[in-house]
Amino acid sequence: SLPPSSSPPSPPHPFETMVTPLVKHKIVKKRTKGFIRHQSDRFMRISTDRPTWRRPKGIDSRVRRRFKGQIKMVNIGYGTNKKHRHVLPAGCMQFSENNDQYV
């Protein structure tokens, strides 16, 4: 029989342990549908394949006046929580580095 080794177990390989966040927040989406531009389905000049949002500015616009059953307008209430903004699905923050010394 061999005597038990007194050396501690070897540390795991650096690629086996991944960086994990301390707290992984549940992502709450207030709205998952995109905001489509008013009357983008009527005119070819307003592209329907990738309609960019423009705020309706007409004096009689049903969308601007927020009538029931019309297209929803973009507003600040649909925004993401500031603490959960730019968080990747793994729970880590996404940021760009400007200097190599931060790595």
Side-chain angles (χ1 to χ4, degrees):
S1 75
L2 295 172
S5 63
S6 62
S7 64
S10 63
H13 195 268
F15 295 116
E16 291 177 4
T17 59
M18 298 294 291
V19 177
T20 57
L22 293 175
V23 178
K24 186 173 176 184
H25 297 287
K26 187 170 194 273
I27 298 172
V28 177
K29 298 270 187 188
K30 297 177 187 170
R31 181 183 168 91
T32 54
K33 273 176 72 172
F35 293 97
I36 64 165
R37 188 171 167 183
H38 181 47
Q39 290 187 341
S40 63
D41 56 337
R42 287 190 178 195
F43 302 105
M44 290 297 291
R45 62 180 179 263
I46 305 173
S47 66
T48 55
D49 58 337
R50 232 181 26 171
T52 55
W53 172 254
R54 301 283 177 91
R55 187 177 193 282
K57 297 188 175 99
I59 58 170
D60 295 328
S61 174
R62 299 176 301 181
V63 176
R64 182 189 61 80
R65 291 160 65 185
R66 297 186 182 149
F67 282 9
K68 196 175 3 174
Q70 301 305 312
I71 297 170
K72 294 285 186 188
M73 278 208 315
V74 176
N75 64 46
I76 197 66
Y78 291 114
T80 308
N81 190 343
K82 193 173 182 180
K83 289 186 284 189
H84 306 159
R85 219 172 282 158
H86 308 297
V87 176
L88 298 172
C92 301
M93 289 289 288
Q94 179 181 9
F95 63 94
S96 60
E97 65 172 52
N98 298 325
N99 200 335
D100 287 341
Q101 71 183 10
Y102 296 125
V103 176

Short mmCIF file of all heavy atoms in Angstrom, two decimals, residues 2 7 11 14 20 28 35-36 38 40-41 46 49 56 63 71 73 75 82 86-88 93 96-98 103:
data_model
loop_
_atom_site.label_atom_id
_atom_site.label_comp_id
_atom_site.label_asym_id
_atom_site.label_seq_id
_atom_site.Cartn_x
_atom_site.Cartn_y
_atom_site.Cartn_z
N LEU A 2 0.44 2.25 -0.72
CA LEU A 2 1.21 3.48 -0.83
C LEU A 2 0.74 4.47 0.23
O LEU A 2 -0.45 4.53 0.56
CB LEU A 2 1.02 4.10 -2.22
CG LEU A 2 1.56 3.29 -3.39
CD1 LEU A 2 1.13 3.92 -4.70
CD2 LEU A 2 3.08 3.20 -3.32
N SER A 7 0.54 16.28 -0.92
CA SER A 7 0.47 17.44 -1.81
C SER A 7 -1.00 17.72 -2.16
O SER A 7 -1.80 16.81 -2.33
CB SER A 7 1.27 17.18 -3.09
OG SER A 7 0.69 16.13 -3.80
N PRO A 11 -4.36 22.44 -9.45
CA PRO A 11 -5.46 23.35 -9.80
C PRO A 11 -6.02 22.99 -11.17
O PRO A 11 -5.31 22.43 -12.02
CB PRO A 11 -4.78 24.72 -9.81
CG PRO A 11 -3.34 24.45 -10.02
CD PRO A 11 -3.08 23.10 -9.40
N PRO A 14 -6.72 26.35 -16.75
CA PRO A 14 -7.36 27.67 -16.81
C PRO A 14 -8.58 27.72 -17.73
O PRO A 14 -9.47 28.54 -17.52
CB PRO A 14 -6.25 28.59 -17.33
CG PRO A 14 -5.13 27.73 -17.74
CD PRO A 14 -5.32 26.40 -17.13
N THR A 20 -17.65 33.56 -14.18
CA THR A 20 -19.10 33.61 -14.01
C THR A 20 -19.46 34.82 -13.17
O THR A 20 -18.71 35.20 -12.28
CB THR A 20 -19.62 32.34 -13.30
OG1 THR A 20 -18.96 32.22 -12.05
CG2 THR A 20 -19.39 31.10 -14.14
N VAL A 28 -35.83 40.92 -18.09
CA VAL A 28 -37.25 41.22 -18.21
C VAL A 28 -37.43 42.12 -19.41
O VAL A 28 -36.91 43.23 -19.45
CB VAL A 28 -37.78 41.92 -16.94
CG1 VAL A 28 -39.23 42.29 -17.11
CG2 VAL A 28 -37.58 41.03 -15.73
N PHE A 35 -40.73 48.24 -33.00
CA PHE A 35 -41.62 49.36 -33.28
C PHE A 35 -41.56 49.64 -34.77
O PHE A 35 -40.50 49.95 -35.31
CB PHE A 35 -41.17 50.60 -32.50
CG PHE A 35 -41.34 50.44 -31.02
CD1 PHE A 35 -40.27 50.06 -30.23
CD2 PHE A 35 -42.56 50.66 -30.42
CE1 PHE A 35 -40.42 49.92 -28.88
CE2 PHE A 35 -42.72 50.52 -29.06
CZ PHE A 35 -41.65 50.14 -28.29
N ILE A 36 -42.71 49.51 -35.44
CA ILE A 36 -42.72 49.75 -36.89
C ILE A 36 -43.13 51.19 -37.16
O ILE A 36 -43.86 51.80 -36.38
CB ILE A 36 -43.65 48.76 -37.63
CG1 ILE A 36 -45.10 48.94 -37.22
CG2 ILE A 36 -43.21 47.34 -37.40
CD1 ILE A 36 -46.06 48.27 -38.14
N HIS A 38 -45.01 54.29 -38.79
CA HIS A 38 -46.39 54.54 -39.19
C HIS A 38 -46.49 54.62 -40.72
O HIS A 38 -45.70 55.32 -41.36
CB HIS A 38 -46.86 55.85 -38.56
CG HIS A 38 -48.28 56.20 -38.87
ND1 HIS A 38 -49.30 55.29 -38.77
CD2 HIS A 38 -48.84 57.37 -39.25
CE1 HIS A 38 -50.44 55.89 -39.10
NE2 HIS A 38 -50.19 57.14 -39.39
N SER A 40 -45.69 52.42 -42.88
CA SER A 40 -44.60 51.80 -43.63
C SER A 40 -45.12 50.68 -44.53
O SER A 40 -44.43 50.27 -45.45
CB SER A 40 -43.55 51.25 -42.68
OG SER A 40 -44.09 50.22 -41.88
N ASP A 41 -46.33 50.19 -44.26
CA ASP A 41 -46.91 49.15 -45.12
C ASP A 41 -47.56 49.72 -46.36
O ASP A 41 -47.86 49.00 -47.30
CB ASP A 41 -47.94 48.35 -44.31
CG ASP A 41 -49.02 49.22 -43.71
OD1 ASP A 41 -48.76 50.43 -43.53
OD2 ASP A 41 -50.11 48.71 -43.42
N ILE A 46 -40.99 54.06 -47.95
CA ILE A 46 -40.71 53.74 -46.55
C ILE A 46 -40.50 52.24 -46.52
O ILE A 46 -41.44 51.47 -46.59
CB ILE A 46 -41.88 54.14 -45.63
CG1 ILE A 46 -42.21 55.62 -45.81
CG2 ILE A 46 -41.55 53.85 -44.19
CD1 ILE A 46 -43.45 56.04 -45.06
N ASP A 49 -38.84 46.17 -45.30
CA ASP A 49 -37.94 45.11 -44.85
C ASP A 49 -37.15 45.54 -43.62
O ASP A 49 -36.84 44.73 -42.77
CB ASP A 49 -36.99 44.70 -45.97
CG ASP A 49 -36.15 45.86 -46.48
OD1 ASP A 49 -36.58 47.01 -46.30
OD2 ASP A 49 -35.08 45.61 -47.06
N PRO A 56 -44.24 60.11 -35.51
CA PRO A 56 -45.26 60.78 -36.30
C PRO A 56 -45.47 62.21 -35.82
O PRO A 56 -45.56 62.44 -34.61
CB PRO A 56 -46.52 59.95 -36.09
CG PRO A 56 -46.20 58.93 -35.09
CD PRO A 56 -44.77 58.98 -34.78
N VAL A 63 -51.64 57.83 -34.51
CA VAL A 63 -50.57 57.20 -33.74
C VAL A 63 -49.99 58.20 -32.74
O VAL A 63 -49.77 57.88 -31.57
CB VAL A 63 -49.47 56.66 -34.67
CG1 VAL A 63 -48.31 56.11 -33.90
CG2 VAL A 63 -50.05 55.61 -35.59
N ILE A 71 -50.65 51.76 -33.79
CA ILE A 71 -49.27 51.34 -33.60
C ILE A 71 -48.73 51.97 -32.31
O ILE A 71 -48.98 53.13 -32.03
CB ILE A 71 -48.42 51.79 -34.81
CG1 ILE A 71 -48.90 51.12 -36.09
CG2 ILE A 71 -46.96 51.50 -34.58
CD1 ILE A 71 -48.29 51.68 -37.33
N MET A 73 -46.08 53.69 -29.91
CA MET A 73 -44.97 54.61 -30.12
C MET A 73 -43.85 54.29 -29.15
O MET A 73 -44.07 53.81 -28.04
CB MET A 73 -45.42 56.05 -29.92
CG MET A 73 -46.09 56.64 -31.10
SD MET A 73 -45.90 58.42 -31.23
CE MET A 73 -46.21 59.01 -29.62
N ASN A 75 -41.33 55.00 -26.34
CA ASN A 75 -41.17 55.94 -25.25
C ASN A 75 -40.24 55.37 -24.19
O ASN A 75 -39.87 54.19 -24.24
CB ASN A 75 -42.51 56.38 -24.65
CG ASN A 75 -43.27 55.27 -24.00
OD1 ASN A 75 -42.71 54.49 -23.24
ND2 ASN A 75 -44.57 55.17 -24.29
N LYS A 82 -31.23 50.07 -15.78
CA LYS A 82 -29.86 50.55 -15.98
C LYS A 82 -28.83 49.53 -15.53
O LYS A 82 -27.76 49.39 -16.12
CB LYS A 82 -29.68 51.86 -15.22
CG LYS A 82 -28.43 52.62 -15.58
CD LYS A 82 -28.42 53.96 -14.90
CE LYS A 82 -27.20 54.75 -15.30
NZ LYS A 82 -27.17 56.06 -14.64
N HIS A 86 -26.70 46.18 -21.34
CA HIS A 86 -25.46 45.67 -21.92
C HIS A 86 -24.99 44.38 -21.25
O HIS A 86 -23.80 44.11 -21.21
CB HIS A 86 -24.34 46.71 -21.85
CG HIS A 86 -24.71 48.04 -22.42
ND1 HIS A 86 -25.03 48.22 -23.74
CD2 HIS A 86 -24.87 49.25 -21.83
CE1 HIS A 86 -25.33 49.48 -23.95
NE2 HIS A 86 -25.25 50.13 -22.81
N VAL A 87 -25.91 43.57 -20.70
CA VAL A 87 -25.55 42.31 -20.09
C VAL A 87 -25.76 41.20 -21.11
O VAL A 87 -26.82 41.12 -21.73
CB VAL A 87 -26.39 42.03 -18.82
CG1 VAL A 87 -26.09 40.67 -18.25
CG2 VAL A 87 -26.12 43.11 -17.79
N LEU A 88 -24.74 40.37 -21.31
CA LEU A 88 -24.83 39.26 -22.26
C LEU A 88 -25.67 38.14 -21.65
O LEU A 88 -25.89 38.11 -20.44
CB LEU A 88 -23.42 38.76 -22.57
CG LEU A 88 -22.51 39.79 -23.24
CD1 LEU A 88 -21.10 39.26 -23.33
CD2 LEU A 88 -23.02 40.15 -24.60
N MET A 93 -20.97 41.49 -18.35
CA MET A 93 -21.17 42.80 -18.97
C MET A 93 -20.42 42.87 -20.29
O MET A 93 -19.32 42.34 -20.42
CB MET A 93 -20.66 43.91 -18.05
CG MET A 93 -21.51 44.14 -16.83
SD MET A 93 -23.08 44.88 -17.21
CE MET A 93 -22.60 46.53 -17.62
N SER A 96 -16.33 47.77 -24.30
CA SER A 96 -15.19 47.85 -25.21
C SER A 96 -14.00 48.40 -24.44
O SER A 96 -14.14 49.30 -23.62
CB SER A 96 -15.52 48.74 -26.41
OG SER A 96 -15.83 50.04 -25.96
N GLU A 97 -12.83 47.85 -24.74
CA GLU A 97 -11.64 48.31 -24.06
C GLU A 97 -10.90 49.28 -24.97
O GLU A 97 -10.82 49.07 -26.18
CB GLU A 97 -10.74 47.16 -23.67
CG GLU A 97 -10.18 46.41 -24.86
CD GLU A 97 -9.16 45.40 -24.46
OE1 GLU A 97 -9.47 44.60 -23.57
OE2 GLU A 97 -8.07 45.42 -25.05
N ASN A 98 -10.38 50.33 -24.40
CA ASN A 98 -9.65 51.31 -25.17
C ASN A 98 -8.15 51.21 -24.97
O ASN A 98 -7.39 51.80 -25.71
CB ASN A 98 -10.10 52.73 -24.77
CG ASN A 98 -11.57 52.93 -25.07
OD1 ASN A 98 -12.09 52.41 -26.05
ND2 ASN A 98 -12.25 53.67 -24.22
N VAL A 103 -6.51 44.79 -19.57
CA VAL A 103 -6.73 43.35 -19.75
C VAL A 103 -6.04 42.57 -18.66
O VAL A 103 -4.98 42.83 -18.22
CB VAL A 103 -6.24 42.90 -21.14
CG1 VAL A 103 -6.36 41.40 -21.29
CG2 VAL A 103 -7.02 43.60 -22.21
#
